[in-house]
Amino acid sequence: MEPLTEPQIRSSFVNCTKGEAARLGVPRDLADRPWDDLDYLGWRDPQALARAYLVTVHDGVRRGIQLRAPSGTGARQQGMCSLCTTVRSGDVALLVAPRAGRAGKAGHTVGTYICSDLACSLLVRDKLVSGGPRTYETLTVEEKVERLRRNLDAFVARVLRQD
């Protein structure tokens, strides 16, 4: 992924208002991110841990997605991320995104299970060790990266769908 600036990040959001995008907490460590190893920029809001954000390129266009975790903290259990398919102990959360456009304004949402720390890119590249049981796949790192990108594209497409 190409390095992003704060204005690029704020202008990319498709499922929140411009005012909400202007107020969201952008990471201060953008210069220190491992951009070459990222398929998307993802972070949790340190002031409101139920809020998360991700920015990726979808169909050649930068897209930002606002996410939220359901209120309440259920029992920590093992789960699988729908993006990177990594099994993690207590580190996968149901994150819900308002749909873009009229559907989102009408309250329609899309949810999926995602690594709570949004570190899928590093996990599939073996740059970060999962806290869960180690699963061994016959896929190469490149194949795991491609699967992550396909799953991410499918999720973003669901958020953008206008029906």
Side-chain angles (χ1 to χ4, degrees):
M1 179 167 203
E2 294 293 320
L4 299 173
T5 64
E6 185 173 334
Q8 289 174 316
I9 292 168
R10 290 187 189 284
S11 67
S12 71
F13 281 88
V14 297
N15 66 342
C16 65
T17 67
K18 288 183 181 185
E20 289 171 325
R23 291 187 300 273
L24 65 86
V26 174
R28 298 289 168 225
D29 64 345
L30 292 175
D32 299 328
R33 296 285 172 133
W35 293 103
D36 290 338
D37 293 325
L38 297 180
D39 302 291
Y40 65 89
L41 172 64
W43 74 98
R44 297 296 285 259
D45 187 331
Q47 273 71 45
L49 293 177
R51 290 188 195 145
Y53 308 95
L54 69 84
V55 179
T56 190
V57 175
H58 176 77
D59 290 338
V61 179
R62 192 177 309 109
R63 306 287 189 175
I65 307 290
Q66 178 183 26
L67 304 156
R68 69 178 183 276
S71 59
T73 59
R76 292 177 59 91
Q77 56 187 355
Q78 189 169 291
M80 179 185 286
C81 175
S82 297
L83 300 182
C84 66
T85 68
T86 301
V87 176
R88 300 183 76 183
S89 295
D91 293 325
V92 175
L94 175 63
L95 295 179
V96 178
R99 300 268 306 272
R102 286 182 302 200
K105 290 176 184 164
H108 297 224
T109 60
V110 175
T112 195
Y113 288 91
I114 301 177
C115 291
S116 297
D117 57 7
L118 300 154
C120 300
S121 297
L122 300 177
L123 287 165
V124 299
R125 289 173 173 81
D126 297 323
K127 305 266 180 172
L128 185 67
V129 177
S130 165
R134 184 82 171 158
T135 56
Y136 294 95
E137 296 184 277
T138 57
L139 298 178
T140 65
V141 169
E142 292 78 19
E143 290 169 325
K144 289 191 262 184
V145 168
E146 183 55 35
R147 178 181 59 198
L148 166 61
R149 290 178 180 166
R150 278 193 316 269
N151 293 342
L152 179 60
D153 276 344
F155 176 66
V156 173
R158 287 175 47 214
V159 173
L160 294 173
R161 195 169 60 224
Q162 294 295 317
D163 53 30

